[in-house]
């Protein structure tokens, strides 16, 4: 790990306004500042961006710059953990930005322009190296990672193609409250002796982000397995039968609180039968759906079958397309867990936060999701 100053950049992220997470500030770059004739930093950054290509193959002219509002940490695990936590926070906020003020993504809207995980690609470069123009290209991953070329940011042949799954670069308004909550929980999860619940949330964040990858090699069976893994991580249980009461307990903690109507789970609803091993057992709407997700995941992993994407359960809030419901369930459970860890507004939409603030100003009491220490028995 070097102790040289570093430049932090999300090349494919377009922000409508500045947002912060912990000691990090994410700022949309003004193209006019990049073109300032007497700014060495601006010229270097502009030359660097010109090496990147957008989804149409054109050079980038702007990006999102990340700056630390506090002194940089000394080289070591703590600094690396901060970067990993920031990446997790931005990835989750980008995926959540696809939804409206509630948790529902308007999948069938004609103008929907989804932001996939590729939008949250993170670039870290040494400032001293970039000032000298050095730019090294790499390819590969954990199994085989190698340098494939080099040059300077001023060489025309040095080009960084867009991520394979990048289809568009939409303008986004990221939720700063949600981002900061994810960042704080992720930093804690990456520290020594972190609480189990933090590590479970971080694991769920990882698999949820993976599910939003858009590479052609990343197909829907992969997505279903990743979302099931994310939800399973939040349960802390390997067995589906053991995980259902834990997960439903997480959902149940929102009952009677502000914003509860924005979650898929409902306090009361129909039960559904599940036939397995020549026996029949009744389950709640959530339990029935979660078993269907688990059975589909097992069919993919063990039988290499293509998943049946429709969960048929008339009257259940979890009825419908398996991916769309599983993605929403994952986001909702993560948000509730963030509230359990003390970040209560992270589970609320901006409109509900506004209602909460107005009520507080008027001295009115509104029930919110309680921290984990205050939860009744059954919520773990």
């Amino acid at each position: 790990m070097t102790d040289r100053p570093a430049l932090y950049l999300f090349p494919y992220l377009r922000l409508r306004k500045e947002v912060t997470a912990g000691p990090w500030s994410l700022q949309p770059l003004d193209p006019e500042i990049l073109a300032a004739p007497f700014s060495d930093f601006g010229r270097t950054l502009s030359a660097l961006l010109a090496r990147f290509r957008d989804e149409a193959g054109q050079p980038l002219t702007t990006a999102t710059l990340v700056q630390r509002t506090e002194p940089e940490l000394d080289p070591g695990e703590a600094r690396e953990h901060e970067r990993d936590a920031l990446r997790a926070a931005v990835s989750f906020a980008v995926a959540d930005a696809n939804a409206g003020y509630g948790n529902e993504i308007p999948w069938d809207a004609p103008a929907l322009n989804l932001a996939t995980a590729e939008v949250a690609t993170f670039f870290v470069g040494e400032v001293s190296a970039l000032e000298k123009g050095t730019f090294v290209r790499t390819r590969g991953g954990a199994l085989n990672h190698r340098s494939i070329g080099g040059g300077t940011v001023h060489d025309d042949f040095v080009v960084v193609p867009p991520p394979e799954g990048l289809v568009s670069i939409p303008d986004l308004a990221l939720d700063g409250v949600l981002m900061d909550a994810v960042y704080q929980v992720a930093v804690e999860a990456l520290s020594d002796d972190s609480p189990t619940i933090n590590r479970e949330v971080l694991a769920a964040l990882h698999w949820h982000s993976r599910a939003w990858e858009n590479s052609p090699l990343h197909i829907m069976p992969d997505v279903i397995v990743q979302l099931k893994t994310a939800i399973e991580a939040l349960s802390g249980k390997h067995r589906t039968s053991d995980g259902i009461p834990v997960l439903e307990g997480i959902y149940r903690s929102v009952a009677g609180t502000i914003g509860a109507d924005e979650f898929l789970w409902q306090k009361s609803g129909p039960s559904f039968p599940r036939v397995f091993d020549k026996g029949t057992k009744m389950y709640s709407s959530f339990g029935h759906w979660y078993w269907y997700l688990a059975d589909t995941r097992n069919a993919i992993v063990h039988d290499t079958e293509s998943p049946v994407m429709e969960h048929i359960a008339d009257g259940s809030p979890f009825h419908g397309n398996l991916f769309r419901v599983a993605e929403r369930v994952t986001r909702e459970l993560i948000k509730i867990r963030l509230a359990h860890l003390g970040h209560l507004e992270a589970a609320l939409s901006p409109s509900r936060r506004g209602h909460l603030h107005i009520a507080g100003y008027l001295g009115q009491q509104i029930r919110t999701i309680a921290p984990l220490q205050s939860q009744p028995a059954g919520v773990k």
Side-chain angles (χ1 to χ4, degrees):
M1 175 72 69
T2 177
D3 61 354
R4 296 173 181 172
L7 181 148
Y8 303 103
L9 201 67
F10 287 93
Y12 310 106
L13 178 61
R14 302 291 177 268
L15 292 182
R16 296 176 190 166
K17 61 180 180 180
E18 181 177 345
V19 65
T20 61
W24 301 97
S25 172
L26 281 69
Q27 306 164 353
L29 283 173
D30 186 344
E32 293 184 2
I33 294 177
L34 292 175
F38 303 110
S39 171
D40 291 338
F41 179 75
R43 286 199 304 272
T44 299
L45 191 52
S46 181
L48 173 64
L49 287 177
R51 300 303 98 205
F52 287 85
R53 293 295 181 266
D54 65 13
E55 76 282 10
Q58 299 301 310
L60 297 184
T61 57
T62 188
T64 292
L65 179 67
V66 182
Q67 294 183 311
R68 204 171 189 281
T69 57
E70 300 174 4
E72 183 77 273
L73 295 179
D74 292 332
E77 283 190 352
R79 181 192 289 190
E80 196 66 30
H81 289 168
E82 281 202 344
R83 295 177 181 178
D84 291 341
L86 177 63
R87 185 182 294 107
V90 173
S91 294
F92 189 66
V94 164
D96 189 67
N98 290 311
Y101 283 127
N103 288 311
E104 184 175 3
I105 297 175
W107 291 102
D108 299 318
L112 181 63
N113 190 17
L114 287 175
T116 62
E118 288 74 18
V119 172
T121 299
F122 194 32
F123 175 84
V124 179
E126 295 177 6
V127 172
S128 58
L130 291 173
E131 288 174 346
K132 297 175 183 178
T134 304
F135 198 96
V136 179
R137 294 178 61 193
T138 61
R139 176 175 294 164
L143 298 180
N144 192 342
H145 182 85
R146 63 182 65 183
S147 297
I148 60 173
T152 76
V153 294
H154 306 288
D155 293 328
D156 290 339
F157 67 85
V158 177
V159 174
V160 181
E164 191 176 22
L166 185 70
V167 173
S168 64
I169 309 178
D171 291 330
L172 300 175
L174 298 189
D175 187 335
V177 173
L178 182 64
M179 266 186 58
D180 185 68
V182 172
Y183 177 80
Q184 302 294 347
V185 169
V187 166
E188 178 69 17
L190 291 164
S191 65
D192 295 335
D193 301 322
S194 62
T196 300
I197 185 175
N198 289 64
R199 297 197 302 272
E200 292 171 350
V201 172
L202 183 59
L205 288 163
H206 167 78
W207 291 112
H208 179 264
S209 178
R210 289 297 309 276
W212 272 103
E213 291 176 359
N214 196 42
S215 165
L217 296 177
H218 187 238
I219 59 178
M220 190 53 66
D222 302 326
V223 174
I224 295 301
V225 171
Q226 288 159 348
L227 290 174
K228 171 59 170 67
T229 305
I231 299 173
E232 185 177 300
L234 290 167
S235 76
K237 304 294 183 181
H238 299 293
R239 293 168 57 90
T240 300
S241 56
D242 295 334
I244 287 174
V246 176
L247 294 168
E248 192 140 37
I250 296 173
Y251 259 138
R252 195 175 298 279
S253 69
V254 310
T257 67
I258 182 174
D261 59 325
E262 295 184 333
F263 294 98
L264 271 178
W265 180 86
Q266 298 174 1
K267 187 175 182 179
S268 61
S271 298
F272 296 88
R274 177 177 182 262
V275 179
F276 181 74
D277 198 20
K278 300 180 180 180
T280 301
K281 186 175 180 179
M282 300 299 294
Y283 286 93
S284 67
S285 296
F286 174 79
H288 184 257
W289 173 84
Y290 191 56
W291 264 121
Y292 184 80
L293 177 64
D295 291 340
T296 304
R297 178 265 180 197
N298 291 340
I300 293 170
V301 173
H302 299 297
D303 300 331
T304 64
E305 293 182 1
S306 297
V308 177
M309 293 303 297
E310 285 298 313
H311 172 58
I312 306 301
D314 292 338
S316 169
F318 303 94
H319 168 93
N321 181 275
L322 189 58
F323 159 67
R324 297 181 182 183
V325 174
E327 191 282 329
R328 180 172 174 178
V329 167
T330 306
R331 275 188 297 112
E332 290 183 347
L333 290 173
I334 288 173
K335 289 181 178 183
I336 297 169
R337 273 312 200 197
L338 294 174
H340 289 165
L341 290 168
H343 305 277
L344 64 93
E345 291 194 18
L348 301 178
S349 64
S351 61
R352 292 295 191 273
R353 290 176 200 154
H355 295 161
L356 185 64
H357 294 167
I358 292 173
Y361 178 77
L362 297 175
Q364 300 174 350
Q365 295 293 322
I366 293 184
R367 186 181 170 195
T368 59
I369 299 173
L372 197 60
Q373 295 85 347
S374 306
Q375 291 291 342
V379 180
K380 299 179 180 180

